[in-house]
Amino acid sequence: MFSRPLYIIATVVVMLICCFFFATILQQGVPERMPIGVVDLDRTTTSRNIIHQLNSMQMVEVTKQCHSYAEARDLLQRGDIYGFIVIPHNFYNELAGLKRPKLSVYTNNTYTVAANMAYKQLLMMCNLVSGALQLQVFTGIGLTEPQAMALIQPIVVETHQIANPKSNYSIYLIGTILPGILGLIILTTTIFSIGIEMKDKTSHDWLKTANGSMPVALIGKIFPYSVIYIILGICCNTLMYKVLDFPVAGSFFAMSMSLLIYVCAMQAVAVLIIGLLPSVRTALSIGALYGMLAFSMSGFTYPAMAMLPAFRSLTWLFPLTHYYHVYVNEALLNGPVENTVLPIIYMLLALIPPLFIVKRLHYAAEHLNYPTK
Amino acid sequence: MSLFSNILQNASKTVRFVWRVITDTVSAVFHDGGVITIFFVASLIYPVLYGFLCWENTVKEVPIIAVDLSGSHESMRFLRKVDASPDVKIVYRCTSMTEAERLLKAQKAHGIIYFPRDYADNLKGLRGQAHVSLYCDMTTFLYMKNLLLPANMVMLEEMHQIQLKRLNSLGISDELAYELTQGAPYEETKLYNPIDGYGSFLIPPVLVLIILQTMFLGICMLRGTFYEEKQTIYQANAHHFSHAILVTIGMALAFFIIYIGLSVIDLILIPHVFKNLPHIGNPIYILRFIVPMLLATIFFSLFVSGFLHNRETGMVILLPTSLIFLFIAGVSWPQPCIPKAWRILSYFFPSTWSMHGYLHLSSMGANMLQIKKEFDALWMLTGFYFVLTVVQQYITFRKARKQ
């Protein structure tokens, strides 16, 4: 293990860079100042007031004032703005004359996250315009403001967000993405550290140090790595939940335990891959393919609920799925114990399949019957 | 002898040399199981997998809980309308919030809609404001969107009815009341991805990333092997700077030839096969865009891989870059929200420009003029990394010769 210190240093450094990257890139947590456009065909104080009010909203910023729909649409297609609002000709006059002038809102939902933020703000603006008009009329006929408000908005919808009150994107994302990256590193380094013995034809010596026993050789090889990965993982969790102050609704200890088992499960998967394909060339590529798939299959970006049923069962083959379930239950929801224990048991199940390839790997290590290049 | 006349004089020799580099590189690719897996298996399997994975595109019938303490005609009508929406489905009806929260935490449902005891009473009078509370499970953003949208639609509908009734009772005519409650109506148009499909949003940039990253990692693997095994391309008798240029061009052409076909499959054909993916772009424009996209990435990969002295190093160290490239590009997370230092760094990655340009062309139907920024940036990066690669090759050759 220490004969190639480069790989240990490299993995630790890569993990630290990733931690730093994801902690800083999403530091804002909630989108702000999304660029939007306004097509102001009215050009009155009312329309200027709308622009002004839009600018006072935290989430959007009017970066472009256009003269026509075509111009705004062109900017949208260039990706300069995420949405725009069209204030029609004669807007003020028609509004005052109760002629119901129409506002038009357009958003570019290719960028769904940004577009939805802009969309929400633009619709709020439209409702404000209607509301302001009503308030003016009602107070004009002698109603007090609360009375007028009851008329303008007889039903109020209050939204409470459970398990991520600030709807902070980074909390929701980093908690799974960093363990995912750790998983990738575990896969590639474990496959490499075993495969290199066969590639460099040193597997005989490797077996000899373990008195010819493959299980002992494997454990001797893997265990020191396990310690490093677990320390790395716990450091990541400490960074997230203790330093960056992400919420942990449940138990930090349970999360650390599940991380420990996740590390072992990922190592088991790696051993299985190199055992099935004892050629480091192919095994490494297959391991990478599998590792990258985990990010989409674990369901933390695209919920498993929306997957085709066949895929939903495939998600179980990825330890990251189960780790994500523990994370949701412990860090976000503080739900019932079984929702933590069951995924941990599923992860433990990953330790069984490698037992079946020990013999195959032993044979490969002895006879080097696979292409070493 | 100047470089230029040198090339002219040995035109046929040059072409033959470049041809040899191309064939050597292509044959190296096809004799390497690891690279074949990355180049062909990954770049063809992933798009199909992702296409199927996001087949449904949106989440439907998210299970929610109704807590109706009011038990009134009005609240039941509200609930019925919400339940009728395809986005959510009321699976539990609880009599207390404690019970509902317990179910939410056990992940039996992903949202609660709550009517307080006085909901109907507040609506009956002329002055009251009735409250509805929504509790959303935020473990996935999609759940919140699914609950908020139908609840707000129903709220607006109910509200207008009540408003009309109240204004009538104040002696305001139907017509005027109608004009007042919707003083400035609005129409909304969600362009390019009207149903907010998650697959339509996330898969197109991922398709680009699949092409670029398989190429990047494959090239790193191959170049690491060249170095490790001291293959001819490396040891070649480097007398001139032109040699480095020719080797670089030759290798780049080989990868370009291999990847142009794969790119057409992944970026033009796949979106047409999977109807959940947007595909309104002009294929000719996309093809024109693919050229600098591939070239910039090839030279970027050649430059980075020049530092790798082992076959496996690239895979072990550079695999997580896929996620970094995806996030730094500002596609899933809006670009204006990326901290400035990261944004500037992202401009040096071909993937950033490629993803945005491709999205504009394929998902938004932009023309070449509208992606000029991305197109030009990719050509600039092509030049930038070409020069860097040549210089680096030259230094490597000279070192090899000295040994």
Side-chain angles (χ1 to χ4, degrees):
Chain A
M1 166 181 166
F2 293 103
S3 61
R4 283 189 185 238
L6 170 77
Y7 286 94
I8 286 301
I9 297 163
T11 49
V12 173
V13 170
V14 167
M15 196 63 214
L16 290 181
I17 290 174
C18 289
C19 280
F20 178 70
F21 176 78
F22 283 102
T24 50
I25 197 159
L26 298 172
Q27 72 193 149
Q28 229 179 310
V30 185
E32 275 173 24
R33 305 240 146 267
M34 300 284 105
I36 55 166
V38 173
V39 183
D40 182 4
L41 303 174
D42 187 39
R43 302 199 165 271
T44 56
T45 40
T46 311
S47 66
R48 274 191 292 274
N49 197 17
I50 291 178
I51 298 171
H52 186 70
Q53 285 196 46
L54 276 172
N55 267 330
S56 68
M57 292 176 166
Q58 204 187 353
M59 281 190 185
V60 290
E61 186 176 7
V62 180
T63 54
K64 306 274 177 184
Q65 292 199 29
C66 313
H67 301 286
S68 68
Y69 167 81
E71 188 189 341
R73 171 122 189 199
D74 179 57
L75 288 171
L76 194 80
Q77 257 170 326
R78 285 171 192 266
D80 290 349
I81 52 176
Y82 287 112
F84 61 91
I85 182 168
V86 181
I87 305 170
H89 280 294
N90 254 335
F91 178 76
Y92 171 72
N93 287 336
E94 291 187 5
L95 187 71
L98 295 181
K99 294 228 175 75
R100 309 184 71 233
K102 198 176 239 175
L103 294 166
S104 307
V105 168
Y106 298 86
T107 49
N108 178 359
N109 285 56
T110 302
Y111 299 99
T112 297
V113 174
N116 273 318
M117 296 291 170
Y119 177 75
K120 234 162 72 183
Q121 307 295 309
L122 287 169
L123 285 204
M124 195 196 284
M125 194 62 234
C126 292
N127 285 319
L128 277 177
V129 172
S130 282
L133 174 76
Q134 292 179 58
L135 192 65
Q136 209 178 355
V137 172
F138 296 147
T139 47
I141 59 172
L143 295 177
T144 63
E145 205 162 303
Q147 284 171 331
M149 275 319 287
L151 271 177
I152 295 167
Q153 200 170 18
I155 305 176
V156 182
V157 172
E158 289 163 354
T159 314
H160 307 265
Q161 297 166 344
I162 289 181
N164 190 351
K166 288 181 234 154
S167 62
N168 189 322
Y169 197 67
S170 58
I171 289 181
Y172 151 77
L173 209 66
I174 299 178
T176 319
I177 225 169
L178 286 182
I181 292 175
L182 183 66
L184 269 188
I185 292 174
I186 294 173
L187 273 175
T188 48
T189 46
T190 310
I191 290 175
F192 174 72
S193 67
I194 297 171
I196 196 77
E197 296 285 355
M198 264 115 40
K199 184 184 171 187
D200 290 351
K201 303 191 172 56
T202 51
S203 49
H204 287 286
D205 302 333
W206 176 43
L207 269 177
K208 217 179 281 166
T209 40
N211 292 325
S213 154
M214 195 52 172
V216 175
L218 271 178
I219 290 170
K221 182 120 218 150
I222 287 171
F223 185 71
Y225 283 103
S226 312
V227 174
I228 291 175
Y229 298 139
I230 290 167
I231 292 173
L232 258 182
I234 305 267
C235 283
C236 274
N237 272 0
T238 314
L239 171 80
M240 285 187 275
Y241 304 110
K242 303 287 179 196
V243 181
L244 294 175
D245 266 338
F246 287 2
V248 191
S251 134
F252 183 74
F253 175 74
M255 294 203 48
S256 307
M257 283 310 290
S258 88
L259 192 93
L260 190 150
I261 290 159
Y262 168 72
V263 167
C264 298
M266 286 311 287
Q267 285 188 312
V269 173
V271 170
L272 183 70
I273 292 174
I274 184 75
L276 288 174
L277 290 160
S279 151
V280 68
R281 282 197 161 186
T282 333
L284 206 54
S285 298
I286 300 283
L289 292 192
Y290 169 87
M292 288 310 296
L293 260 188
F295 287 94
S296 35
M297 294 298 278
S298 60
F300 79 99
T301 45
Y302 188 73
M305 224 178 98
M307 293 178 191
L308 292 174
F311 278 88
R312 227 174 296 163
S313 34
L314 280 182
T315 61
W316 288 60
L317 299 177
F318 296 87
L320 189 62
T321 312
H322 307 298
Y323 180 83
Y324 167 64
H325 289 160
V326 176
Y327 162 75
V328 166
N329 195 48
E330 284 300 331
L332 302 178
L333 289 174
N334 191 19
V337 184
E338 69 260 26
N339 282 355
T340 296
V341 175
L342 277 178
I344 288 185
I345 291 174
Y346 297 141
M347 282 196 275
L348 284 172
L349 290 181
L351 300 179
I352 297 171
L355 300 179
F356 296 102
I357 55 86
V358 167
K359 240 182 168 172
R360 186 184 163 89
L361 197 60
H362 192 145
Y363 192 81
E366 257 184 359
H367 299 273
L368 294 171
N369 54 338
Y370 286 89
T372 51
K373 277 208 216 159
Chain B
M1 206 186 313
S2 80
L3 172 66
F4 188 66
S5 62
N6 188 12
I7 290 174
L8 271 185
Q9 277 173 13
N10 303 305
S12 80
K13 215 172 128 193
T14 311
V15 171
R16 255 182 290 141
F17 179 71
V18 172
W19 181 247
R20 214 193 82 211
V21 177
I22 294 176
T23 49
D24 277 358
T25 312
V26 171
S27 107
V29 168
F30 283 100
H31 282 94
D32 190 320
V35 177
I36 290 178
T37 311
I38 297 286
F39 269 12
F40 299 100
V41 180
S43 70
L44 295 177
I45 295 256
Y46 272 140
V48 176
L49 264 178
Y50 285 141
F52 278 121
L53 185 75
C54 296
W55 186 258
E56 310 250 347
N57 222 345
T58 49
V59 189
K60 291 199 181 80
E61 304 274 308
V62 170
I64 60 164
I65 307 163
V67 182
D68 184 5
L69 297 186
S70 148
S72 58
H73 180 65
E74 287 85 352
S75 62
M76 282 199 269
R77 189 176 60 209
F78 198 112
L79 284 174
R80 214 165 40 236
K81 284 183 183 169
V82 169
D83 200 18
S85 118
D87 295 334
V88 289
K89 185 181 168 70
I90 298 174
V91 288
Y92 292 101
R93 288 172 194 271
C94 300
T95 47
S96 75
M97 272 305 284
T98 352
E99 198 191 338
E101 268 178 42
R102 192 183 54 78
L103 285 166
L104 192 81
K105 287 189 171 177
Q107 296 175 54
K108 304 282 185 206
H110 299 294
I112 304 171
I113 178 162
Y114 168 80
F115 292 89
R117 220 169 282 283
D118 58 0
Y119 177 76
D121 298 336
N122 280 332
L123 289 182
K124 279 195 185 99
L126 282 180
R127 303 281 145 88
Q129 253 182 325
H131 291 250
V132 183
S133 291
L134 302 179
Y135 295 82
C136 306
D137 174 354
M138 290 296 296
T139 52
T140 293
F141 273 126
L142 296 174
Y143 295 150
M144 180 168 98
K145 212 191 79 207
N146 270 45
L147 180 55
L148 283 191
L149 198 72
N152 276 312
M153 297 295 272
V154 176
M155 183 266 284
L156 285 176
E157 200 184 307
E158 291 277 294
M159 208 166 82
H160 284 151
Q161 286 180 14
I162 294 157
Q163 275 181 320
L164 285 181
K165 215 164 70 187
R166 287 186 177 181
L167 290 173
N168 278 336
S169 71
L170 279 176
I172 296 174
S173 73
D174 266 357
E175 202 181 332
L176 183 61
Y178 177 67
E179 281 157 3
L180 265 180
T181 52
Q182 286 253 298
Y186 50 83
E187 56 178 14
E188 58 215 54
T189 314
K190 292 183 169 185
L191 292 164
Y192 314 124
N193 183 9
I195 58 162
D196 265 327
Y198 207 64
S200 327
F201 156 62
L202 209 60
I203 301 302
V206 169
L207 289 178
V208 175
L209 205 64
I210 289 169
I211 286 289
L212 302 188
Q213 282 301 97
T214 53
M215 191 157 76
F216 176 56
L217 293 169
I219 290 177
C220 287
M221 204 175 213
L222 208 63
R223 293 282 309 277
T225 315
F226 284 170
Y227 194 93
E228 218 173 64
E229 297 173 357
K230 302 208 172 9
Q231 283 192 6
T232 45
I233 295 178
Y234 254 103
Q235 278 195 323
N237 43 346
H239 304 297
H240 295 287
F241 199 66
S242 63
H243 183 82
I245 295 180
L246 293 180
V247 170
T248 306
I249 290 177
M251 283 199 286
L253 280 176
F255 294 123
F256 185 79
I257 293 165
I258 292 173
Y259 257 86
I260 192 84
L262 292 171
S263 307
V264 169
I265 294 174
D266 281 4
L267 302 181
I268 301 177
L269 293 182
I270 289 277
H272 276 90
V273 175
F274 291 94
K275 295 298 177 191
N276 51 338
L277 302 179
H279 50 270
I280 60 168
N282 181 332
I284 302 295
Y285 293 164
I286 298 178
L287 199 60
R288 279 175 66 187
F289 184 72
I290 286 174
V291 174
M293 179 179 119
L294 287 183
L295 287 178
T297 312
I298 287 170
F299 290 122
F300 171 72
S301 309
L302 285 175
F303 175 64
V304 174
S305 63
F307 294 99
L308 304 176
H309 294 177
N310 282 94
R311 175 187 174 77
E312 293 80 11
T313 320
M315 198 54 108
V316 174
I317 296 175
L318 297 175
L319 194 55
T321 54
S322 305
L323 292 154
I324 291 180
F325 288 159
L326 181 65
F327 276 94
I328 209 168
V331 177
S332 59
W333 189 235
Q335 207 168 18
C337 302
I338 308 278
K340 203 164 181 185
W342 288 125
R343 218 182 319 156
I344 291 170
L345 180 68
S346 81
Y347 295 154
F348 287 91
F349 300 137
S351 52
T352 307
W353 304 104
S354 306
M355 280 188 252
H356 283 285
Y358 175 70
L359 275 184
H360 292 183
L361 286 174
S362 179
S363 302
M364 294 147 63
N367 56 36
M368 291 310 280
L369 199 67
Q370 286 167 321
I371 54 144
K372 195 176 179 313
K373 189 173 62 185
E374 287 81 8
F375 193 72
D376 291 350
L378 282 173
W379 276 117
M380 280 199 281
L381 285 183
T382 304
F384 178 67
Y385 286 113
F386 173 71
V387 172
L388 286 181
T389 310
V390 168
V391 170
Q392 182 208 42
Q393 286 272 28
Y394 186 60
I395 294 169
T396 321
F397 288 151
R398 280 187 40 173
K399 254 194 221 160
R401 249 179 82 206
K402 269 182 198 156
Q403 280 170 4

